[in-house]
Amino acid sequence: MTFDIEDWYCHDVKTDNLIWEEQEVRIYDGVEKILKALEENDVKATFFCLGWLAEHHPAVIKQIADFGHQVGCHSYKHELATKLTPEKFRENTYRAKSALEDVIGKPVELYRAPAFSITEDNLFAFDTLVELGFTTDCSVFPARRDDGGMPSYKFGEPAILEHNGMMLKEFPIHPYEIMGKRIVYSGGGYFRLFPYYVIKLLTGKQDYVMSYLHPSDFDPDQPKMDYLPLWNRWKNGVGLNNAYAKFCKYLKDFDFSTVDGITISGGEPFLQLKELRNFIEF
């Protein structure tokens, strides 16, 4: 069970020109709503948080940690990894990691790129994460998607990446193939769009499923971004009225864990980073 902790306007990459400090703050209520449902169902989760929030709204990050949940890094200000040079990616990730650690007082060792934007074209990010002290990544999206995705990573299962003596545990999103199309129903727009019985059915068919939900997924009263293209506005708004009820059912119907509550020890699948690169290039 994972969440990307960002406010209602942060996740849409077409809002790059917004001044974040001037936007309505809804992150407190959104996070409290999630924490309440998790506590009622005795579930611990992993929260991938923005470094910017740690600097501007540290109480949100501290509350997550105080409730016993795991805090991971989700970049500084939701910058796509595909748009950053190796140097900028390192600077951005280090700044975010440091800001989060300053708030919670312990190491942050998990990472997820905004919009799953570690792709075949910026695999240097894996090396950088290890060098910065991360032990686990959750950025791989083994299907096509806007601004990210790695469809050539066909496993959709946890793996251990090794390269030059460095090791990184990878917990990717796991898509489900429907009529030749790889669908990720456990988070974002598809979770809000699909009827709950479909989500429950597909989850029950898979041994490994990772959710990726956001506070804004459960906020039907969030401001409308009328300046966005129609398609983006539809994606942002679809299913908001019923998403929280589906989420609460999800928590009751399945057993969930933090990412570090799952163990991989080098058994299958075991994938070296060098082999991953060769596989993708092939």
Side-chain angles (χ1 to χ4, degrees):
M1 175 62 63
T2 73
F3 301 91
D4 295 349
I5 300 304
E6 56 211 41
D7 217 333
W8 59 275
Y9 55 85
C10 301
H11 62 278
D12 198 300
V13 295
K14 295 178 176 57
T15 60
D16 288 345
N17 295 326
L18 284 182
I19 299 174
W20 284 20
E21 291 82 356
E22 296 179 355
Q23 307 308 309
E24 180 181 342
V25 177
R26 302 182 69 84
I27 192 67
Y28 292 91
D29 290 343
V31 168
E32 286 184 4
K33 199 172 184 179
I34 291 170
L35 293 175
K36 180 176 182 291
L38 294 175
E39 186 175 28
E40 289 176 351
N41 290 277
D42 195 25
V43 173
K44 298 301 181 188
T46 299
F47 290 70
F48 292 98
C49 306
L50 298 181
W52 185 89
L53 282 177
E55 290 185 356
H56 292 77
H57 301 285
V60 170
I61 311 302
K62 190 173 187 305
Q63 185 181 27
I64 291 168
D66 288 348
F67 268 73
H69 299 291
Q70 184 177 35
V71 173
C73 178
H74 195 43
S75 82
Y76 179 72
K77 205 176 177 185
H78 212 269
E79 300 89 346
L80 295 180
T82 48
K83 294 185 177 181
L84 301 177
T85 64
E87 294 75 19
K88 289 295 183 183
F89 179 80
R90 173 184 288 276
E91 292 173 9
N92 179 286
T93 308
Y94 176 78
R95 181 180 182 184
K97 185 176 191 291
S98 299
L100 292 166
E101 291 175 343
D102 286 345
V103 172
I104 67 173
K106 59 183 179 180
V108 171
E109 298 180 337
L110 285 86
Y111 179 83
R112 173 177 287 156
F116 302 96
S117 53
I118 295 181
T119 71
E120 291 92 338
D121 298 324
N122 60 351
L123 294 172
F124 63 81
F126 289 134
D127 300 88
T128 302
L129 292 177
V130 175
E131 291 165 4
L132 290 177
F134 291 95
T135 62
T136 306
D137 176 68
C138 299
S139 301
V140 172
F141 192 99
R144 299 189 184 282
R145 76 185 315 275
D146 294 342
D147 304 306
M150 193 182 291
S152 51
Y153 187 105
K154 298 179 180 179
F155 303 98
E157 298 174 351
I160 297 176
L161 309 182
E162 280 195 338
H163 180 59
N164 290 339
M166 298 186 293
M167 185 180 78
L168 185 68
K169 290 182 285 187
E170 177 62 46
F171 288 88
I173 297 295
H174 192 164
Y176 191 90
E177 191 163 313
I178 302 176
M179 300 179 64
K181 183 175 177 60
R182 308 184 91 191
I183 301 294
V184 176
Y185 58 87
S186 57
Y190 279 115
F191 184 88
R192 290 184 271 112
L193 174 66
F194 283 4
Y196 180 69
Y197 75 86
V198 173
I199 296 170
K200 183 177 179 179
L201 175 67
L202 297 182
T203 300
K205 289 185 175 183
Q206 296 184 281
D207 294 328
Y208 164 77
V209 175
M210 179 178 288
S211 72
Y212 70 101
L213 300 164
H214 313 76
S216 58
D217 288 326
F218 311 131
D219 183 8
D221 298 322
Q222 63 189 274
K224 303 295 186 290
M225 291 185 274
D226 294 332
Y227 44 82
L228 293 177
L230 181 61
W231 169 246
N232 296 89
R233 279 183 278 153
W234 182 83
K235 284 197 302 180
N236 288 347
V238 66
L240 288 176
N241 288 326
N242 300 319
Y244 188 69
K246 286 194 283 188
F247 166 59
C248 292
K249 290 180 182 178
Y250 210 31
L251 291 175
K252 294 182 185 301
D253 287 341
F254 296 96
D255 294 326
F256 291 98
S257 169
T258 60
V259 173
D260 68 354
I262 304 171
T263 301
I264 52 176
S265 59
E268 292 296 332
F270 183 90
L271 193 63
Q272 291 188 343
L273 183 52
K274 181 179 179 181
E275 292 173 352
L276 174 60
R277 286 179 170 151
N278 291 339
F279 175 69
I280 291 170
E281 290 170 0
F282 177 79

